[in-house]
Amino acid sequence: MSSNDRVIIFDTTLRDGEQSPGASMTRDEKLRIAKQLEKLRVDVIEAGFAIASPGDFESVKSIADTIKESTVCSLSRALDADIDRAGEALKNAASGRIHTFIATSPIHMQYKLQMEPDQVVENAVRAVKRARNLVGDVEFSLEDASRSELDFMCRIIEQVIEAGARTINIPDTVGYAVPHEYGNTIRQLIERIPNSDKAIFSVHCHNDLGLAVANSLAAVNAGARQVECTINGLGERAGNAALEEIVMALRTRKDTFGLETSIDTTQIVPASRLVSSITGFPVQPNKAIVGANAFAHESGIHQDGVLKHRETYEIMTAEDVGWNTNRMVLGKLSGRAAFRARMEELGTVFATDAELNTAFARFKELADKKSEIFDDDLVALVSDARASAGHEKYKLSSLNVTSQTGEVPVANLVVSVDTQEHSAEASGSGPVDAAFKAIEQVAASGANLQLYSVNAITSGTDSQGEVTVRLEKAGRIVNGLGADTDIIIASAKAYLHALNLLDANIQKAHPQV
Ligand code: KIV
Ligand code: ZN
């Protein structure tokens, strides 16, 4: 495969994905996702924005220290301090990249940067040179490229390539582009810039008009050889181009694109599940590739056709994208060693025996309630265990909800607050509402409930329910997670987890991008 036949997959779930309100992740969560991305064999992992906060720096650093098979990248504005901080975080990377950017559209230059175009070029060139002194692999992005002038883009790109940038990214920052126009822009840039052969052209599309994947593919058709994307299309506002859709479109329609990626597609569904369970952003059932219905045939005509000859209605198989890797692995009689081994295969390594023992005890509790334990149950179990690890001001001690036809549901609960037990009773329009009201009686957080969602982790009525509760307080947004075979308990745990996150103040502000 020549390098021109290959599309580099640059995953930005941990950076642009995290810029989704409420998708903030801890360092350990990011590391777990990074390990799964490495297993998925993405070429580049954008691990964060090192200067954004000490937490972001630590996340980029720990991913750079750990990941060996993928290039690890940090974002930085075209500012000396940003670039130096990115270089420091990437110091131990087996393969590190600095991704520096500056806005190039008239509207951004005039109002946001308040710079003349010449100053923008000067800053870009200086940033790329400084980054090249720290790492060999430098990417330069023209923020808001889809609303920038072609002549100006040609001028700045020629100079940053001259200064040492090896990847040139043309983002559709505000999701404004349409496929034919965007593809044309990429083609013209490659044709007109004299040294364009010294760099790989990349695209980064937002989904405001629902065109992120279509625009990315149009750009690939026009010569782009790197696509920036995220798992499940997570990202700012309407999100970024979905990795799974880009990869499977290139693979399924190799006849028309004639291109390959290095992705192990059987790791797509596990990656999707992991990102969804960590961020608390559920995947809609009809989402392409990773939605629960993506391979389900309901109509009789379709079922009949598929049974007679699969390809009558299926263009790819569920196995190709990893649906069937969710096999039943463990049961009631499984021992600690089997549990530990399967967890390691799923990307969770227990740092201490105590951590292993706590998780194993939870697994045994679950196995008592549920006869078949699937990989997804194990992933949820770890997320739930991590949700209650570390800083835990509020903890559920007990919950009793009565609910019967014609009666108002009532919740009685005991919550420990900094180890002191408090009880409360509240009624509500449903059992979950009653439980949340009772929690609020104790916590008096004043937070606004922005989202409540329940997902069945596996099929069957004994499935665990995984609940996401999004709370907002004073502009800070957190997603709490809880999993249990009893969805009222899962809901209470998710609410308390969200309160603990608000209390721990783990949300951080991102500098203006
Ligand atoms: O959307 C965008 O322009 C970005 C850049 C920082 C690459 O995320
Ligand atoms: Zn972006």
Side-chain angles (χ1 to χ4, degrees):
M1 195 176 24
S2 94
S3 65
N4 210 35
D5 296 337
R6 208 171 87 78
V7 176
I8 294 168
I9 298 296
F10 176 114
D11 180 278
T12 183
T13 307
L14 300 176
R15 197 278 298 171
D16 223 345
E18 204 208 17
Q19 285 176 214
S20 261
S24 213
M25 299 168 236
T26 64
R27 189 193 61 176
D28 286 356
E29 288 167 342
K30 287 186 179 176
L31 194 53
R32 279 170 70 205
I33 292 177
K35 286 182 185 161
Q36 177 59 30
L37 293 173
E38 185 180 39
K39 238 170 146 182
L40 183 62
R41 297 217 289 263
V42 307
D43 300 285
V44 186
I45 298 172
E46 187 161 55
F49 194 171
I51 200 155
S53 69
D56 261 45
F57 177 86
E58 282 309 322
S59 299
V60 178
K61 182 169 169 11
S62 70
I63 292 169
D65 291 353
T66 312
I67 297 296
K68 299 287 170 250
E69 302 297 328
S70 309
T71 294
V72 178
C73 169
S74 172
L75 185 67
S76 69
R77 290 165 298 188
L79 298 173
D80 291 356
D82 278 42
I83 290 164
D84 295 349
R85 195 75 172 140
E88 206 183 322
L90 296 171
K91 210 166 49 199
N92 301 327
S95 164
R97 171 182 297 189
I98 295 180
H99 174 193
T100 185
F101 73 97
I102 195 163
T104 52
S105 62
I107 189 171
H108 275 233
M109 291 191 288
Q110 183 179 350
Y111 296 105
K112 186 180 87 168
L113 299 176
Q114 295 175 345
M115 281 185 196
E116 291 301 321
D118 283 352
Q119 285 174 287
V120 170
V121 176
E122 202 182 294
N123 276 277
V125 168
R126 208 193 42 238
V128 168
K129 285 188 175 157
R130 193 171 184 101
R132 272 303 298 264
N133 281 333
L134 301 172
V135 289
D137 184 356
V138 173
E139 170 170 337
F140 176 75
S141 279
L142 296 81
E143 193 191 9
D144 203 19
S146 53
R147 294 191 298 168
S148 302
E149 285 163 5
L150 195 73
D151 286 348
F152 182 59
M153 288 201 279
C154 288
R155 182 172 145 217
I156 192 167
I157 293 172
E158 184 179 349
Q159 295 198 36
V160 293
I161 293 177
E162 183 66 38
R166 288 295 159 260
T167 304
I168 300 296
N169 186 36
I170 313 295
D172 180 22
T173 305
V174 292
Y176 176 74
V178 289
H180 63 281
E181 195 182 79
Y182 191 56
N184 224 359
T185 302
I186 302 295
R187 186 171 295 108
Q188 288 199 52
L189 290 172
I190 294 174
E191 275 169 18
R192 284 179 49 178
I193 297 167
N195 54 1
S196 66
D197 60 321
K198 307 254 171 353
I200 288 169
F201 279 71
S202 164
V203 287
H204 173 116
C205 297
H206 282 269
N207 206 28
D208 299 66
L209 293 174
L211 293 171
V213 170
N215 285 331
S216 305
L217 294 174
V220 165
N221 216 23
R225 286 295 176 268
Q226 174 175 288
V227 175
E228 303 195 355
C229 43
T230 58
I231 302 289
N232 300 338
L234 192 70
E236 289 243 36
R237 308 181 307 278
N240 290 56
L243 178 146
E244 59 277 8
E245 294 176 23
I246 302 279
V247 167
M248 290 314 289
L250 291 174
R251 177 177 151 138
T252 308
R253 297 308 310 276
K254 190 156 187 248
D255 58 320
T256 172
F257 289 106
L259 296 167
E260 305 219 343
T261 71
S262 58
I263 296 298
D264 174 356
T265 60
T266 63
Q267 293 299 325
I268 286 178
V269 169
S272 162
R273 289 295 176 94
L274 185 64
V275 169
S276 169
S277 107
I278 285 179
T279 58
F281 279 51
V283 175
Q284 75 198 55
N286 58 331
K287 164 84 180 63
I289 320 293
V290 292
N293 290 352
F295 293 88
H297 295 274
E298 179 69 20
S299 102
I301 295 173
H302 286 203
Q303 285 171 350
D304 182 53
V306 169
L307 287 176
K308 285 182 176 141
H309 186 71
R310 191 188 60 75
E311 280 153 29
T312 49
Y313 284 102
E314 273 188 10
I315 56 169
M316 49 196 164
T317 70
E319 291 76 15
D320 283 349
V321 298
W323 272 105
N324 289 1
T325 53
N326 182 31
R327 45 185 206 277
M328 206 260 298
V329 279
L330 300 170
K332 215 175 164 128
L333 300 176
S334 305
R336 197 179 313 255
F339 173 73
R340 188 212 296 254
R342 187 63 196 148
M343 292 311 291
E344 282 178 7
E345 279 169 30
L346 291 171
T348 297
V349 178
F350 297 105
T352 60
D353 275 353
E355 235 186 65
L356 167 66
N357 291 343
T358 313
F360 186 63
R362 278 178 180 256
F363 160 72
K364 284 285 180 185
E365 259 173 49
L366 181 63
D368 268 340
K369 297 186 208 158
K370 194 173 184 294
S371 51
E372 298 174 318
I373 308 272
F374 295 90
D375 285 347
D376 288 341
D377 287 313
L378 297 176
V379 170
L381 187 119
V382 173
S383 295
D384 188 62
R386 295 213 156 122
S388 51
H391 175 88
E392 243 201 324
K393 175 173 174 154
Y394 302 101
K395 209 169 170 173
L396 184 67
S397 302
S398 68
L399 171 62
N400 175 17
V401 183
T402 50
S403 168
Q404 68 185 75
T405 326
E407 298 293 327
V408 176
V410 176
N412 281 284
L413 54 70
V414 180
V415 169
S416 73
V417 184
D418 290 328
T419 71
Q420 179 134 30
E421 300 222 306
H422 296 258
S423 46
E425 178 179 296
S427 56
S429 57
V432 173
D433 189 43
F436 287 3
K437 284 188 171 134
I439 293 173
E440 269 304 314
Q441 265 186 33
V442 175
S445 75
N448 299 311
L449 178 66
Q450 289 201 328
L451 176 135
Y452 169 73
S453 87
V454 189
N455 240 345
I457 290 171
T458 53
S459 56
T461 50
D462 67 348
S463 167
Q464 289 192 85
E466 189 174 45
V467 174
T468 304
V469 166
R470 185 179 302 160
L471 294 182
E472 182 275 336
K473 189 174 176 187
R476 283 190 295 123
I477 297 173
V478 292
N479 276 336
L481 297 176
D484 201 281
T485 47
D486 180 328
I487 61 162
I488 314 293
I489 292 178
S491 304
K493 282 183 179 175
Y495 198 99
L496 291 168
H497 180 220
L499 290 181
N500 284 325
L501 292 175
L502 279 175
D503 185 66
N505 201 8
I506 69 157
Q507 293 287 309
K508 58 198 174 292
H510 283 276
Q512 183 94 37
V513 175

